[in-house]
Amino acid sequence: MSPIASFEASGAFPSSRAICASSTAEGLGLKSGDIIIEFSGRTVKTIYDYMDALGAGKAGDTVSLKWLRGGQPMAGEAVLKVRQ
């Protein structure tokens, strides 16, 4: 399954550092530096939280995300894709 984005540790929460072209993240509108705080109803505080939530889904599932961009809350939905 295609990850939403690649991450780096940034304080308590993982933040996106790179958004892959044609990825679920790109379709959702995530940008480098965005901090994902919720993935399909699961709170995301660490990269492990994110990986657990992503692992619970499968290609074709619609997921909801909440993230922070510059401290401002944002939200959206996307369909998980197969990693290519």
Side-chain angles (χ1 to χ4, degrees):
M1 178 154 10
S2 174
I4 295 292
S6 61
F7 287 92
E8 63 188 0
S10 174
F13 296 94
S15 66
S16 56
R17 71 177 156 86
I19 305 300
C20 302
S22 301
S23 68
T24 303
E26 182 184 58
L28 192 59
L30 285 175
K31 297 188 182 293
S32 180
D34 287 350
I35 300 170
I36 294 176
I37 56 173
E38 188 177 297
F39 188 108
S40 287
R42 295 178 178 206
T43 300
V44 174
K45 293 185 179 179
T46 68
I47 189 66
Y48 304 108
D49 294 338
Y50 164 77
M51 295 304 294
D52 285 345
L54 179 62
K58 62 184 183 306
D61 286 352
T62 299
V63 296
S64 60
L65 270 81
K66 292 183 181 177
W67 66 94
L68 300 174
R69 178 177 295 153
Q72 296 299 312
M74 303 186 83
E77 290 187 342
V79 175
L80 293 177
K81 298 179 181 180
V82 174
R83 187 175 196 164
Q84 305 207 9

